[in-house]
Amino acid sequence: MVNMESMTGMNPRDRILQAAARLLAEGGREAVSTRAVSSAAGVQAPTIYRQFGDMQGLLDVVASHGYATYLASHRARETDQDPVEDLRRGWNLHVDFGLANPALYMLMYGNPRPDTPHPAAAELQDVLLDLVRRVAEAGRLRVGIEHAADMLSAAGAGVVFVLIAQGGASRDRTLSVATREAILAAITTDQNTASAHARPSPRSDATHHAVALKASLSRDARPFTAAECALFAEWLTRFIETEP
């Protein structure tokens, strides 16, 4: 239940937000109704619409707070010198956040709107791309940066959704670890998991270099002009994406 005493001194907007967030955490999306929020926040229903436009507007702001919390946890963590290990830690952080906040995670990721993506979601995607770019710059990425990020996003969200459906934080994390390592093996040349006798093919080795070079160009295009850099990047992308 929402504790009204904890809302003492808060303005109506903040009371509504806190009430909605608590109802969401306790009962899921279905619990966040106009009647329930207005009662829990001690306001009239029209106040919600004046402050947020409609219930979807309120839920969007609740999701924004979720994205902000998740971004803050990424910024606060220490960066590992091994970029693949850093990617592994980023995966763990994502799964831990989702299982600790299942209803909020479903609100953030369960109803994507491609035409109007949430600004904070784009910022989180940039965080992921930076993590993958570090792997590429180290010459340890097998595929293109964007493709690798899409694979990680799809697999990570899928794991969280499955674990939430199976009981959330109480579930064994074996599925998460196994999926994480399968994706990392597919997109990186993690030396910790590679066979000591395995040797990359000439084509595979060249692809790693192409990915690393493209990542470096995105950081510093000197001495190329913008047009030359775009053309070079296009050639590298074509090479990376060409099947052997």
Side-chain angles (χ1 to χ4, degrees), residues 15-90:
R15 292 209 310 273
I16 293 168
L17 278 173
Q18 183 166 322
R22 289 190 181 182
L23 287 167
L24 179 71
E26 293 170 0
R29 169 65 183 85
E30 295 75 13
V32 190
S33 65
T34 301
R35 177 180 296 180
V37 173
S38 58
S39 175
V43 300
Q44 298 296 316
T47 305
I48 298 175
Y49 300 114
R50 284 198 301 271
Q51 293 288 339
F52 301 97
D54 55 20
M55 286 302 293
Q56 186 58 57
L58 171 58
L59 289 170
D60 285 343
V61 177
V62 172
S64 294
H65 282 265
Y67 282 120
T69 300
Y70 183 31
L71 278 168
S73 65
H74 266 287
R75 295 190 180 109
R77 72 188 186 92
E78 294 183 1
T79 300
D80 196 283
Q81 291 185 347
D82 181 344
V84 175
E85 182 60 30
D86 208 28
L87 202 55
R88 185 175 281 110
R89 291 183 177 183

Side-chain angles (χ1 to χ4, degrees), residues 92-117:
N92 293 343
L93 183 65
H94 180 91
V95 173
D96 288 346
F97 176 83
L99 296 185
N101 307 276
L104 179 59
Y105 187 90
M106 294 294 290
L107 179 64
M108 293 165 59
Y109 292 99
N111 185 29
R113 288 176 282 176
D115 296 333
T116 55

Side-chain angles (χ1 to χ4, degrees), residues 67 71 108-109 117-126:
Y67 282 120
L71 278 168
M108 293 165 59
Y109 292 99
H118 197 287
E123 190 172 351
L124 274 172
Q125 182 67 10
D126 288 340

